């Protein structure tokens, strides 16, 4: 299956896309997406390593399983307020 | 709705509640400052993962009501381009007494800065721009990268 990954702020600009699609196994864990992102975007590893992953708008644990239709988002360090 | 692209007017935040139950009202305004880490700021842009940010802000407000037995909370965060001196965030907390009002106000702004997916990009007078990356990621069991 594929998973849609939303990117924001610094990550969106660095990658040049607001959204990317990555192929993953059905019921892949969040940590597998994390590993794919680290490989694919090794050039921005320092910021990726300070980022969190959200699934369907909630911060997700490493072992969260992913299913078709889930929306994954990479959340770089926040700076609101 | 806690996010807005319209300028925030602090005035309405000063109004008393209709039933005069609150004896204390604390208003926090986050303002766009001229200097940032030694550079002169021209303007800022804020963006958010809007559905998630709205939900987390709503949850923070509900949790504050519950924890400090508040009478009222008004909270709004601006998105888009902001000029120097504009209000980026306004939080008004009303409680029966000042202690819980101050505590809830401080707790809300700290939580926003720590966990709500809102980002600012600073544009400087020298023509450069940079996303602020010094914010802390939430701690705990959540998946880092």
């Amino acid at each position: 299956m594929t998973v849609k990954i939303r990117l924001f702020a610094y990550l969106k600009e660095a990658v040049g896309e607001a959204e990317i699609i990555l192929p993953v196994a059905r019921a892949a864990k969040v940590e597998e997406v994390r590993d794919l992102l680290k490989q694919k975007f090794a050039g921005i590893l320092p910021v990726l390593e300070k980022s969190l992953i959200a699934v369907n708008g909630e911060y997700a644990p490493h072992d969260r399983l992913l299913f078709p239709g889930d929306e994954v988002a990479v959340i770089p360090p926040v700076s609101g307020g | 709705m806690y996010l807005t692209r319209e300028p925030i007017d602090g005035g309405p935040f000063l109004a008393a509640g209709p039933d005069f139950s609150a004896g204390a009202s604390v208003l926090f305004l986050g303002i766009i400052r001229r200097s940032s880490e030694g550079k002169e700021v021209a303007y800022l842009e804020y963006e958010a993962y809007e559905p998630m940010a709205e939900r987390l802000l709503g949850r923070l407000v509900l949790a504050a009501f519950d924890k400090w037995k508040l009478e009222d909370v008004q909270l709004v965060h601006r998105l888009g381009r902001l000029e120097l001196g504009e209000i980026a965030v306004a939080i008004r907390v009303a409680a029966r007494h000042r202690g819980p009002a101050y505590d809830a106000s401080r707790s809300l702004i700290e939580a926003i800065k720590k966990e709500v997916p809102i980002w600012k990009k600073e544009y400087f007078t020298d023509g450069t721009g940079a996303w602020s990356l010094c914010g802390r990621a939430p701690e705990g069991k959540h998946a880092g990268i």
Side-chain angles (χ1 to χ4, degrees):
Chain A
M1 70 178 210
T2 58
V3 63
K4 181 171 88 173
I5 299 170
R6 298 189 62 179
L7 303 173
F8 296 95
Y10 173 88
L11 294 175
K12 180 172 70 179
E13 273 190 16
V15 170
E17 306 274 359
E19 201 175 289
I20 57 173
I21 308 278
L22 289 181
V24 296
R26 188 183 171 84
K29 290 179 181 171
V30 159
E31 61 193 359
E32 291 163 49
V33 168
R34 174 198 64 191
D35 293 343
L36 276 174
L37 289 167
K38 285 167 77 169
Q39 283 171 22
K40 198 172 165 64
F41 302 112
I44 51 171
L45 204 53
V47 177
L48 281 176
E49 285 178 337
K50 289 201 285 184
S51 302
L52 293 176
I53 291 181
V55 179
N56 301 333
E58 298 285 349
Y59 291 115
H62 288 110
D63 58 358
R64 163 77 151 82
L65 301 178
L66 295 171
F67 295 98
D70 281 343
E71 178 172 282
V72 176
V74 188
I75 311 291
V78 302
S79 49
Chain B
M1 294 286 285
Y2 299 102
L3 301 174
T4 181
R5 293 183 183 277
E6 302 301 318
I8 296 171
D9 176 4
F13 285 82
L14 299 175
D19 63 357
F20 308 112
S21 55
S25 177
V26 171
L27 174 60
F28 173 83
L29 301 176
I31 313 273
I32 307 306
R33 195 180 48 223
R34 181 184 300 281
S35 70
S36 177
E37 298 183 19
K39 297 180 89 172
E40 192 162 335
V41 173
Y43 63 95
L44 258 62
E45 278 181 6
Y46 281 90
E47 75 168 64
Y49 181 13
E50 295 187 37
M52 181 174 176
E54 286 281 2
R55 195 165 58 249
L56 289 192
L57 289 168
R59 206 178 286 164
L60 289 171
V61 167
L62 283 179
F65 263 108
D66 194 46
K67 178 169 181 180
W68 285 284
K69 309 298 176 218
L70 304 176
E71 299 295 329
D72 190 32
V73 177
Q74 291 169 273
L75 188 160
V76 63
H77 198 297
R78 179 95 179 269
L79 299 179
R81 173 172 168 151
L82 279 78
E83 309 295 333
L84 299 185
E86 285 198 285
I87 298 170
V89 60
I91 304 169
R92 182 231 182 200
V93 172
R96 289 178 59 81
H97 300 287
R98 65 188 180 283
Y102 273 115
D103 290 348
S105 175
R106 183 65 189 264
S107 175
L108 280 166
I109 186 61
E110 299 301 332
I112 288 169
K113 286 178 169 288
K114 188 174 169 188
E115 57 189 85
V116 179
I118 300 173
W119 301 273
K120 74 174 169 198
K121 184 171 185 177
E122 294 170 316
Y123 291 86
F124 302 105
T125 52
D126 64 6
T128 61
W131 289 98
S132 178
L133 292 170
C134 54
R136 288 175 300 166
E139 294 133 20
K141 63 186 175 59
H142 300 124
I145 288 195

